[in-house]
Amino acid sequence: MTAPRVTPGGRWTGYHGVNGDHADVNTAATDLINILDAVEVPIVVLRRDFSVACFNRAAADVLGLSPSDIGRASRDISVFAGCPRLEQQCDEVVAGGAASRVDLRDGDNWFVVRISPSTSSGRQVTGSVLTFTDVTAFRASMSSAIYERECTKTIFNTVRDPLVVLGADQRIESGNRAFYTMFEVSRDEAQAAPLYELGNGAFEAAALREQLEEMLAGSRAFRPVEVDDVATAKGRRALTLDAHPLSFPGHSERRVLVTFHDITARKQAEAAKDLRSEEELRRSEAFLARGQRLSLTGSFSWKVASDEIAWSDQLYRIYGLEIGVPVTLELVRTRVHPEDVALLEEMVQKGREGRDNFEGQYRLVMPDHSIKYLHVVAHATRDQDGRLEYIAAVQDLTERRTSEEALAKARSELAKVARVTSLGVLTASIAHEVNQPLSGIITNAGTCLRMLDTNPPNLQGACETARRTIRDGNRASDVITRLRALFSNEELTLEFLDLNEVTREVIALSLSDLQRSRVALQSQFAEDLPTIAGDRIQLQQVILNLLRNASDAMADVHDRPRRLAIRTELEAGDRVRLSVRDAGVGVNPRSMTKLLDAFYTTKADGMGIGLSVSRSIIERHHGRLWAEPNDGPGATFSFSIPGGPEGDTAIAPVARQP
Ligand code: ADP
């Protein structure tokens, strides 16, 4: 609206005097006009017939009235067209004398029009006085507040999780759609009800009240609360409740917004997972226990610093102790075979030294005096606090040992039978071969005697039979020579050999036998040995025989360690020597020479040919085999043979002994 250009004060002065003249206006009236013109609120005076009587400067500026509007019916002036009820309101004011108000819109602007009666000096109502208050800005802010409120309401209802606002008394003020749906209550039913009445009392039990009270008192933040078994439209659910204070500057009133989050699915999944992992754990424990039973293997952990020991059930079974009995090293020692306590202590010591791994074998003596053979393998690890802990497996080898021993026994029985059989065959062939010439000798000797006994003696016949006797005697000798040749096996396969290597192979072959016989083997090999030329298999036969004899000689030794030392060394003249020293029964100096003879044996199942064959093998390598008693217990058997590559040229078949 464009304000008409008017002279200040002119409207009242000029317009007021429509029916009078200027001279009638006194000074007081002029002052009043000035005052009204100074007022910023538009003021318009209407007559009873609604024609404009006068207006002030603000009305001209704000409403766009001009002097030509004076006297015109207000309904014909465009600004008043925005309020069709104006005439009616003015009528009522004029008729009743009571002020009234009406809203007026002028384009984008809004005014509140207050209508009060205008009276003459005789107190007669002559028309109405209209004042205009511009409320455009106020209305705009009002509508944006409404808009904001509506938006909030929509957001509130769009949120899927139930939400509720509680007043200071913890009663429900308003909730979102999800809230009413979840608890199957209408907005009206829920209004002003305590939250605790919902969910079939589950919230009461969750001790929610105390936390909400504290929050409403402003003393503490809310810690989310899990509430199980809440009765809802979807059945029993598990919910997490969280709360946030709703307080605004300038408002002393406190309220809280409570949110509900359904965690039923998550809890069910967790419960299922717990069940599964519990089941898996149970299964793997059962597997382990069964595996331990089947493999006869127990396990234990040992915390070195505190000596805390934990055993598996199977280990209790192996030790024959009641499952669950507290285990101490002392208790373990009481079961260990007295001869093996030192071995156990050695392992414990290795553990205390912090070795990465250790292993060993020891025996147990059970209450019924039976023996158990155990093998332990321990591995170092660290517990959560970084302290040394061993995890170990203990295998019960008793059954394996027993069956191995039974097998070894069966093998040696078989070997014995084979030996006896071959001895029987040998004996039979010797008897067969030697019997003929012997009976010939006897027969001829008898014939010879008879011929000499005749009178005169038959000297010619006697000479003949004596010659036959000699012939038969030679035949018998030939048989023996042939048999010796059979034993000495003339075929040699020569090659360049490292005696140490040859010996190591034999040790590897016989180690398990030696261990079974509880023989502790020590070896010492000279590094500077020359190569020898020899038959690998035959030399190994000799070494094997010396080892077996040494082990046999210690079979009845129980009061000292069964030590067997094998060593190689260089002798003067580039010869190499191998000696086997034992701690066995030893050799009697008087029978020393007989030991190497064929068929000399002191063993129940011996044949007495091992050393004699060994001697002939060594002799064919131009060497020497001998035995000597030790200073202490036992004996030492040695051989020495020439070394050097030229050795092969020196080897020749042994001359047959007659
Ligand atoms: P066998 O072992 O069958 O008896 P050997 O010729 O190998 O035959 O041994 C002959 C004998 O020599 C043995 O029976 C034993 O009396 C004695 N002998 C051999 N080696 C040792 C040894 N290391 N200690 C004591 N005696 C031994």
Side-chain angles (χ1 to χ4, degrees), residues 627-641:
E628 21 181 20
N630 292 340
D631 278 349
T636 301
F637 282 71
S638 315
F639 67 77
S640 91
I641 46 179

Side-chain angles (χ1 to χ4, degrees), residues 82-101:
C83 183
R85 290 178 59 230
L86 188 66
E87 263 187 39
Q88 190 195 334
Q89 289 286 325
C90 288
D91 258 352
E92 285 172 12
V93 168
V94 169
S100 175
R101 55 166 284 175

Side-chain angles (χ1 to χ4, degrees), residues 391-553:
I391 304 292
V394 183
Q395 195 175 17
D396 182 353
L397 301 175
T398 317
E399 273 186 30
R400 208 169 87 187
R401 209 26 109 77
T402 316
S403 51
E404 269 177 13
E405 271 169 12
L407 194 68
K409 201 168 162 220
R411 248 195 243 128
S412 82
E413 292 285 322
L414 200 67
K416 193 173 166 188
V417 169
R419 263 184 279 175
V420 170
T421 312
S422 56
L423 192 60
V425 171
L426 189 67
T427 314
S429 85
I430 295 172
H432 177 75
E433 295 284 328
V434 180
N435 249 355
Q436 269 186 327
L438 274 185
S439 54
I441 289 168
I442 290 163
T443 312
N444 287 327
T447 312
C448 181
L449 274 179
R450 270 198 314 279
M451 286 182 171
L452 290 176
D453 213 20
T454 54
N455 201 6
N458 181 355
L459 288 177
Q460 203 182 345
C463 280
E464 181 53 28
T465 51
R467 267 196 293 276
R468 278 196 219 133
T469 306
I470 290 166
R471 187 197 64 201
D472 286 345
N474 281 335
R475 257 173 66 194
S477 170
D478 278 352
V479 169
I480 301 295
T481 307
R482 273 212 318 275
L483 281 172
R484 283 185 65 90
L486 185 74
F487 275 116
S488 53
N489 183 8
E490 289 195 32
E491 294 302 313
L492 279 183
T493 311
L494 294 179
E495 57 184 309
F496 293 116
L497 300 171
D498 171 357
L499 184 63
N500 289 344
E501 189 196 308
V502 167
T503 311
R504 280 195 189 99
E505 282 175 8
V506 178
I507 290 174
L509 273 176
S510 38
L511 204 57
S512 73
D513 274 351
L514 293 174
Q515 278 175 349
R516 200 173 305 118
S517 307
R518 308 194 64 74
V519 170
L521 180 86
Q522 286 176 340
S523 49
Q524 193 185 339
F525 296 115
E527 283 176 5
D528 51 355
L529 287 190
T531 313
I532 53 168
D535 184 314
R536 175 187 292 269
I537 303 294
Q538 293 205 358
L539 285 176
Q540 286 186 335
Q541 222 173 308
V542 173
I543 300 167
L544 188 68
N545 191 51
L546 295 182
L547 289 179
R548 280 211 184 124
N549 278 346
S551 173
D552 287 351

Side-chain angles (χ1 to χ4, degrees), residues 419 545-554 580-588 591-592 594-614 627-628 634-637:
R419 263 184 279 175
N545 191 51
L546 295 182
L547 289 179
R548 280 211 184 124
N549 278 346
S551 173
D552 287 351
M554 294 190 285
V580 176
R581 178 190 173 96
D582 63 54
V585 290
V587 286
N588 184 340
S591 51
M592 197 78 83
K594 285 193 258 168
L595 296 182
L596 306 184
D597 289 348
F599 302 118
Y600 174 84
T601 180
T602 55
K603 301 173 193 169
D605 54 354
M607 272 181 68
I609 54 171
L611 284 178
S612 101
V613 169
S614 299
E628 21 181 20
T636 301
F637 282 71

Side-chain angles (χ1 to χ4, degrees), residues 295-297 318 372-375 394-399:
S295 63
L296 299 175
T297 306
I318 291 173
K372 278 191 178 178
Y373 295 85
L374 305 188
H375 184 123
V394 183
Q395 195 175 17
D396 182 353
L397 301 175
T398 317
E399 273 186 30

